[in-house]
Amino acid sequence: MSTLLDQIASYRVGLLITVDEVNVTIDEMKQLARVYQHFVTEGRQVALLMAGLPHNISQLLRDDGISFLRRARKHTLGRIPDREISDALTATIEDAGKRISPAALAAAVEATDGFPYMMQLVGFHTWAQAVAEEIDVENAATGVELARNEMADGVLAYTYLDLSAGDKRFLAAMLNEPRDVPLARVAEKMGVGSNYASQYRKRLLEQGIISEPAKGYVRFEMPVFPEYFAERYEEDENLS
């Protein structure tokens, strides 16, 4: 990489490094981050762009070995409007030579719930179920179920394991409440003050598990997670 930077420096251009699917458990990823920091210290014309799921980004930023990344500019993609998901699925399917029925499309869009990664999973598995030229409701239903299972095994399980006891108490207090829950209500159910509850709100916001739709309110951000969390939390409580 140093040799490459030396070669392109004479053309007055720099190097952009892009990384998808950030995972702090991969040693090479941490090594790359340290090498990048070295290049920045040398004043090289180099930039690093990394993308990943919220809980993986959160773990990366908590790693003391590459703490300098905490100063990086962060951008949260957020939820995608249903209309854009519908247009993207329709265009992708039709460009590949198939169609999707209105009912099947509606089911796929609803299951995605605006979550970018879920859109990928639902689209992939729904397409894989289709044998005929038109994707029907049955194909979509099976695709959604497979997507939910993969979401649970590949994302939600690791997200749950990364939660502290306080995080779990906060999320448990959000269950069986309206979609947008007042923070004061969460604190009340936890038996703590709003300032104390705010500490966990901040942690969970950083991990992308909840969002803040309005000042003083919180809601679950990740699709499928409320149901998954409720089941796992109940199991843990029964074991304790």
Side-chain angles (χ1 to χ4, degrees):
M1 290 179 69
S2 293
T3 301
L4 174 62
L5 287 169
D6 288 338
Q7 292 174 345
I8 65 176
S10 60
Y11 297 95
R12 300 182 66 183
V13 297
L15 176 66
L16 171 64
I17 306 167
T18 61
V19 180
D20 194 13
E21 297 294 344
V22 165
N23 188 336
V24 74
T25 63
I26 300 176
D27 290 337
E28 289 83 356
M29 192 160 294
K30 291 188 283 188
Q31 182 183 3
L32 172 62
R34 289 192 289 268
V35 169
Y36 169 73
Q37 184 182 23
H38 175 73
F39 287 147
V40 171
T41 302
E42 287 186 337
R44 299 276 198 169
Q45 295 299 307
V46 61
L48 176 62
L49 178 63
M50 308 178 82
L53 293 168
H55 74 280
N56 285 335
I57 296 294
S58 179
Q59 287 181 335
L60 179 72
L61 296 179
R62 290 202 302 271
D63 191 290
D64 292 334
I66 47 178
S67 59
F68 75 95
L69 285 178
R70 297 168 192 165
R71 301 193 296 271
R73 181 180 301 174
K74 294 180 283 292
H75 174 72
T76 302
L77 185 58
R79 289 178 178 267
I80 302 174
D82 286 352
R83 171 48 58 189
E84 293 184 21
I85 293 174
S86 177
D87 291 345
L89 290 174
T90 301
T92 303
I93 290 168
E94 291 181 350
D95 287 348
K98 289 191 177 184
R99 304 186 309 273
I100 182 168
S101 72
L105 179 61
V109 171
E110 182 180 5
T112 295
D113 197 22
F115 198 67
Y117 184 57
M118 193 64 173
M119 179 175 70
Q120 291 179 299
L121 293 180
V122 170
F124 171 79
H125 286 294
T126 298
W127 171 271
Q129 299 306 307
V131 177
E133 185 176 338
E134 181 174 88
I135 299 173
D136 60 23
V137 174
E138 184 178 351
N139 300 146
T142 304
V144 166
E145 181 180 1
L146 291 172
R148 285 176 174 270
N149 291 338
E150 185 170 341
M151 180 78 172
D153 294 339
V155 177
L156 305 185
Y158 294 103
T159 300
Y160 184 87
L161 291 175
D162 199 38
L163 296 173
S164 69
D167 294 333
K168 293 176 183 177
R169 288 178 58 209
F170 188 103
L171 295 171
M174 292 177 61
L175 296 174
N176 303 316
E177 295 288 340
R179 178 178 175 87
D180 296 339
V181 191
L183 179 62
R185 174 61 176 161
V186 174
E188 177 187 355
K189 292 177 68 174
M190 292 177 68
V192 300
S194 293
N195 289 339
Y196 184 86
S198 293
Q199 300 176 28
Y200 294 103
R201 177 195 61 180
K202 181 180 179 181
R203 280 172 47 87
L204 294 166
L205 285 170
E206 290 174 350
Q207 296 177 67
I209 297 172
I210 66 172
S211 61
E212 195 172 25
K215 185 175 177 59
Y217 287 80
V218 291
R219 73 163 58 151
F220 283 101
E221 181 68 13
M222 301 176 71
V224 190
F225 189 71
E227 299 87 350
Y228 180 88
F229 172 81
E231 182 177 344
R232 286 290 301 272
Y233 188 72
E234 183 179 1
E235 290 175 357
D236 290 349
E237 288 296 290
N238 290 336
L239 291 174
S240 61

